[in-house]
Amino acid sequence: MVREFKFKGYSPEQLQTLSIEALIPLLNARQRRSLDKRVGTYMSDAKRKLREDIKMAREKKLKGELKTHVRDMIILPDMIGLNIKVHNGKEFALVNVRPEMTGHYLGEYAITNRRVQHGAPGVGASRSSLYVPLK
């Protein structure tokens, strides 16, 4: 039998009915502090626009896909089920928001670095490459 996910005792459906004020005590300290200040510094213009776009996507009024550069947005229950493309510095990485992601940041799921695969060294890479003939 598959175990149902619960966030601090609440099912995803119950979480979506909670207001932000009721959700704040359930989050970790860092997220609580950020959301407590949401009226001031936390809710920047980019985050406000993203919240409006999320609301439009929920109502199926958004044309196209939901893209953002806002990596420090805390995932709230109203984002569950959406596909959000988050910029990782080079491209937009697709993030499928699941209930387990509640309280984390969007940037945690769009990794910014990749494994480096080095090629062969080029001419001038070392002192010995001076003596290698160029075809």
Side-chain angles (χ1 to χ4, degrees):
M1 180 165 176
V2 179
R3 188 172 154 193
E4 181 185 348
F5 172 76
K6 289 195 180 269
F7 181 78
K8 311 247 175 140
Y10 290 89
S11 69
E13 295 80 24
Q14 292 171 327
L15 281 176
Q16 289 182 344
T17 61
L18 290 177
S19 65
I20 292 181
E21 288 76 21
L23 179 71
I24 287 176
L26 302 176
L27 298 175
N28 293 335
R30 183 73 192 118
Q31 287 80 0
R32 272 198 316 267
R33 285 178 50 81
S34 294
L35 286 174
D36 279 341
K37 299 176 182 180
R38 77 181 183 281
V39 175
T41 58
Y42 177 72
M43 280 302 217
S44 63
D45 291 337
K47 289 181 185 168
R48 283 186 219 284
K49 183 178 180 318
L50 180 60
R51 297 282 300 153
E52 291 170 10
D53 289 347
I54 288 169
K55 188 181 284 188
M56 287 178 60
R58 277 264 164 241
E59 298 168 354
K60 308 282 190 221
K61 294 181 181 176
L62 185 70
K63 302 264 193 248
E65 51 199 18
L66 190 55
K67 286 184 173 183
T68 185
H69 284 260
V70 182
R71 298 175 53 82
D72 62 338
M73 180 73 176
I74 297 168
I75 296 175
L76 298 173
D78 61 343
M79 297 183 196
I80 294 173
L82 293 178
N83 294 329
I84 302 173
K85 288 196 171 189
V86 182
H87 199 262
N88 65 7
K90 182 177 181 183
E91 57 198 18
F92 286 92
L94 182 65
V95 176
N96 299 322
V97 182
R98 297 188 314 268
E100 300 87 33
M101 297 179 178
T102 303
H104 290 268
Y105 292 94
L106 279 175
E108 292 180 41
Y109 301 102
I111 305 301
T112 57
N113 54 0
R114 289 187 174 170
R115 186 173 175 270
V116 177
Q117 296 179 350
H118 295 286
V123 176
S126 66
R127 297 286 293 157
S128 63
S129 65
L130 295 173
Y131 305 106
V132 176
L134 296 174
K135 290 192 177 181

